[in-house]
Amino acid sequence: MSAITARRTSSAAASRGGGVLPWLALPALVAFAVFALIPLIGVLLLSFTSWDTLGEIQLTGLESWRQVLTDPGLPHALWVTFLIMLLSWGFQTPASILIGVFLAGHQRYRELLAVLYFIPLLLSSAAIAITFKALLDPNFGLGAGLGIDFLTQDWLGEPGLAFGVVIFVVSWQFIPFHSLLYQGGVRQIPRSLYEAAELDGAGRVRMFFSITLPQLKYTIITSSTLMLVGSLTFFDLIFVLTEGGPGDATRALALDMYKRGFQANLMGAACVIGVILVLVGLALALLLRRIGGRDPYASQLEGV
Amino acid sequence: MSWLWLAVVLIPIYWIVITSLKTQSNYYLTNPFAPPADPTLDNYRLVIEMDFPLYFLNSLIVAIGTVIPSVLFSFMAAYAIVRSSGANRFLRGINSLFLMGLAIPLQATVIPVYLLIIKMQLYDSLTALILPSIAFAIPLSVLVLSNFIRDVPKELFESMRLDGASEWKTLWGLAFPLTRPAVVTVSIYNALQVWNGFLLPLILTQSPDKRTLPLALAAFQGGPYGVNVPAVLASVVLTILPILILYTVGRRQLLSGLTAGFSK
C-alpha cells in the first residue's frame, strides 16, 4: 500500500473517530444528568414549594425559606455540623498522620498489624453504629460486663456524652482510611532526604517535622478535604447511633434535612437545607482549593 | 499513641466476634472479653432464619447492577475525554461537569431523587436503588479511569488507527485490557460504596423484602430481637463476612480500590 493511501485511510479514520467520540460519553452523561444534575436543579426549585409527600406540590415562593431561616433549629444544626467537622478533623488528622507513618514501615509485624487495622474500612456505618450502641449500653454493654463505673454511663442519653461518642465513632471508622492515605504518602517520600538529614545529625523528631510533614502537604490537603466535605454529609452513622438525639444534640445538617423531609413531611423546608448543604460543600471545596493552591483531587492524581 | 489506637480499633472487632458466639444468657453472666466456654452458632442460625439471605441477595443485585453499568459508562466517557484531548468542546464540557460533580455533596439532592423515583413508578424496587447509585458513582470513576487511560502510550492508539480499527474497537480491544487494574480498582470502590450504602435504601424502599444489608441490620436491632445482643452482633458479622473473605483473598487490590483516585 502506498504512503498516500495509508495517509488517506488514517485521516478518514480520524474524522470518523472525531464523530464517534462524543457518542461514547453519552450514556454516562445521560445517567449523570437524570439522577444527579436534574436533582441538583430540582432541590433548588423544590425549595420554593411546599409538598407533604402525599398531596400536590404547591409553589409557595419564599415560604419554606422563611420557615427554615427563622427556625432556631437551623443555626443549631449548622453549629452541630461545624463542631463535628472541626473536632473530628482535629482529632483524626494528627492520629492518622502518626499511624500512617508507623504503618509505612516495612517491618513484618507492622504489615501484619496493618492487615487487622484496616478492617474498619470494610464495615458499613450501620454495622459500626450498631456495634457501638451495643458496646456502650449502660445496662448490658461493656461497662456493666466489666463492672467499671466509668464505662457504665448513659453514653447516648446525655447530650455532651452523645456528642463525644459521635466524634469517637466517626474517628474509629475513618482514621484507618486516612492512615492508609498517609501510609501511601509517607512511602513516596524519597529515602535520600532522610539519609541526608541523618548525615547532618538530625534526630527522628526533627526529621518528622522538617521532612515528613512538609512532604505530606498534598496528602494532608486531600485527606482534610475528604474529611471536611465528608463530615458535612454524615448521615448513616448518626442516624443509627443517636437519631440526632438526645433532644437535638447531634442533629447535624444532613440528618436535619432527612427529619424535616421524611419524618415531618416538609419537603420544601428539607430542600432548603439541601440547598444550604450544596452551597456549604461547594464553598468548602473552593476554600480548600485556594488554601492548597491546587485542586485536591487533581493533585493526588498527577503522575498516576 | 499508634499502639493505643490500634488497640481501640481491634478490641471492638474482637468483642463482636466472640460475643456473637455466646448464648444470650451467657452474655450477661460472663466477662465480656472472655471467649465463650461453649461457643454456639445458634445466633447465626437465628439471623439466617430472619431472611438475611434475601437481604444479602438484594445487596448483591444492587451492587452488581450498579457497578457494571457505572464502570462501563464511565470507561467509555473517560476514553472519549482522553482521546479527544480537549479538542472537542462537548467533551470538555462533560469533563468539567463531572469534576463539578465531585465537589458537590450529591446526598443533598436525595429529595428530588425520591420525587423522580416516585414519578417513574420505581419506588420500593431494587431498580430505584441502582439508578441513582450509577449516577453518583460516575464522576469519580471517570476521573480515575481517564487518568489511567492517559498513561496508555499514544503510539499504540496510533497503530490501531493505522490498522483501520474503529474507536469502538480500540476502546474495547486496546484501552480496556491495558487498564484492567484501574477498572478493578474503581469497581471495588464503587461496589463497597453501594454495599455499605444506607441513605438511598432508607428513603427509596419500604417493604422488608426490598431491604439491603445495612438497612436490615438497623431494622433487626430496632426490632423485637434487638435485646438479643449476641444475635445482633452475629448479624453484623454475617454482613461483614463476604467482604472480609474478599479482603483476605485480594487485600492489596481492595485497599487500593478504597483509596481509588485519592492516592497512588
Side-chain angles (χ1 to χ4, degrees):
Chain A
M1 200 187 273
S2 74
I4 297 164
T5 50
R7 193 178 302 142
R8 191 179 301 149
T9 13
S10 93
S11 70
S15 66
R16 195 174 61 225
V20 160
L21 284 176
W23 292 101
L24 290 178
L26 210 59
L29 178 67
V30 170
F32 185 75
V34 174
F35 286 101
L37 207 56
I38 291 178
L40 191 62
I41 300 162
V43 76
L44 183 64
L45 295 179
L46 284 176
S47 75
F48 299 110
T49 66
S50 292
W51 180 41
D52 64 0
T53 73
L54 294 173
E56 291 291 300
I57 301 174
Q58 282 168 340
L59 204 67
T60 47
L62 291 171
E63 176 58 30
S64 296
W65 281 89
R66 210 181 43 79
Q67 188 187 331
V68 170
L69 293 178
T70 54
D71 177 354
L74 178 69
H76 176 76
L78 279 168
W79 174 241
V80 168
T81 310
F82 175 73
L83 267 191
I84 290 178
M85 229 181 225
L86 197 72
L87 292 178
S88 69
W89 178 80
F91 181 65
Q92 288 185 69
T93 302
S96 306
I97 293 178
L98 286 179
I99 297 170
V101 169
F102 176 79
L103 293 178
H106 286 282
Q107 292 90 331
R108 193 94 193 92
Y109 77 98
R110 292 193 188 187
E111 297 195 338
L112 207 72
L113 270 177
V115 173
L116 297 170
Y117 177 67
F118 289 137
I119 289 178
L121 291 175
L122 312 171
L123 312 186
S124 67
S125 302
I128 291 173
I130 285 166
T131 302
F132 277 96
K133 231 169 143 176
L135 203 58
L136 294 173
D137 190 291
N139 298 316
F140 307 116
L142 205 54
L146 288 173
I148 302 173
D149 284 343
F150 170 72
L151 286 171
T152 2
Q153 305 180 63
D154 190 6
W155 289 102
L156 298 170
E158 208 262 300
L161 284 180
F163 195 84
V165 169
V166 167
I167 301 290
F168 173 79
V169 179
V170 163
S171 306
W172 192 89
Q173 181 175 15
F174 289 104
I175 286 181
F177 174 79
H178 294 279
S179 310
L180 183 63
L181 288 181
Y182 284 114
Q183 181 198 37
V186 171
R187 283 186 173 167
Q188 282 194 327
I189 301 175
R191 295 254 3 116
S192 54
L193 290 177
Y194 291 103
E195 283 154 14
E198 217 158 61
L199 286 179
D200 291 343
R204 286 182 58 183
V205 177
R206 179 75 203 278
M207 283 199 258
F208 175 78
F209 283 105
S210 345
I211 301 173
T212 312
L213 267 190
Q215 288 286 317
L216 286 177
K217 184 183 168 203
Y218 291 116
T219 315
I220 294 175
I221 294 167
T222 305
S223 154
S224 301
T225 306
L226 293 173
M227 272 184 206
L228 294 173
V229 176
S231 53
L232 190 62
T233 48
F234 274 148
F235 175 80
D236 334 12
L237 198 82
I238 303 180
F239 181 78
V240 180
L241 202 59
T242 68
E243 266 200 79
D248 54 6
T250 53
R251 185 164 166 155
L253 270 183
L255 198 73
D256 191 47
M257 175 178 80
Y258 174 83
K259 289 201 152 191
R260 280 177 203 265
F262 293 94
Q263 288 179 356
N265 290 330
L266 298 167
M267 287 295 181
C271 282
V272 172
I273 305 285
V275 174
I276 294 174
L277 269 175
V278 170
L279 292 179
V280 175
L282 269 180
L284 210 59
L286 286 176
L287 185 76
L288 285 159
R289 194 167 164 173
R290 180 152 288 186
I291 293 174
R294 52 179 182 166
D295 193 334
Y297 292 103
S299 74
Q300 285 299 310
L301 286 156
E302 265 168 31
V304 162
Chain B
M1 167 84 194
S2 301
W3 286 103
L4 184 71
W5 195 257
L6 287 172
V8 167
V9 164
L10 295 180
I11 287 169
I13 294 174
Y14 167 77
W15 179 78
I16 305 174
V17 175
I18 57 155
T19 309
S20 72
L21 297 169
K22 292 180 181 175
T23 61
Q24 195 178 1
S25 52
N26 251 342
Y27 168 66
Y28 298 121
L29 297 174
T30 55
N31 179 320
F33 288 126
D38 47 346
T40 167
L41 287 173
D42 284 353
N43 299 313
Y44 288 91
R45 194 168 308 136
L46 173 72
V47 172
I48 287 170
E49 280 164 12
M50 297 301 290
D51 275 347
F52 268 70
L54 174 68
Y55 307 142
F56 180 86
L57 189 68
N58 287 345
S59 279
L60 200 65
I61 292 171
V62 175
I64 293 174
T66 302
V67 169
I68 291 176
S70 67
V71 172
L72 291 185
F73 293 175
S74 300
F75 195 88
M76 286 158 62
Y79 177 87
I81 288 166
V82 171
R83 289 290 289 145
S84 77
S85 47
N88 186 303
R89 271 183 64 195
F90 174 69
L91 288 171
R92 266 210 320 270
I94 289 183
N95 193 30
S96 16
L97 183 71
F98 290 155
L99 282 177
M100 184 200 74
L102 277 176
I104 289 172
L106 291 173
Q107 295 93 322
T109 64
V110 289
I111 290 166
V113 168
Y114 169 73
L115 177 63
L116 212 59
I117 289 291
I118 290 178
K119 293 278 177 217
M120 294 169 115
Q121 309 206 323
L122 289 171
Y123 182 73
D124 204 21
S125 70
L126 294 181
T127 319
L129 304 180
I130 292 173
L131 294 178
S133 302
I134 293 175
F136 288 11
I138 283 175
L140 189 66
S141 308
V142 171
L143 180 74
V144 175
L145 291 172
S146 53
N147 277 299
F148 277 87
I149 298 173
R150 213 161 273 141
D151 274 0
V152 176
K154 292 245 178 341
E155 299 76 42
L156 293 178
F157 287 119
E158 196 56 25
S159 70
M160 283 294 275
R161 208 181 66 181
L162 290 176
D163 287 347
S166 64
E167 291 289 353
W168 184 252
K169 202 166 163 228
T170 312
L171 165 64
W172 299 115
L174 178 77
F176 197 77
L178 282 179
T179 50
R180 189 165 296 154
V183 173
V184 174
T185 298
V186 170
S187 306
I188 289 172
Y189 178 82
N190 290 336
L192 212 69
Q193 292 292 333
V194 177
W195 186 267
N196 288 337
F198 187 81
L199 181 57
L200 289 178
L202 178 70
I203 61 164
L204 299 178
T205 64
Q206 90 192 131
S207 321
D209 66 327
K210 296 295 186 310
R211 278 179 194 148
T212 55
L213 284 172
L215 201 59
L217 278 181
F220 188 60
Q221 197 203 29
Y225 288 94
V227 287
N228 187 346
V229 177
V232 168
L233 294 175
S235 70
V236 170
V237 174
L238 268 186
T239 63
I240 302 167
L241 214 54
I243 308 171
L244 215 54
I245 291 169
L246 285 179
Y247 182 64
T248 52
V249 178
R251 182 167 54 88
R252 278 176 205 289
Q253 279 281 10
L254 200 68
L255 288 182
S256 69
L258 279 165
T259 51
F262 302 127
S263 76
K264 172 88 191 277

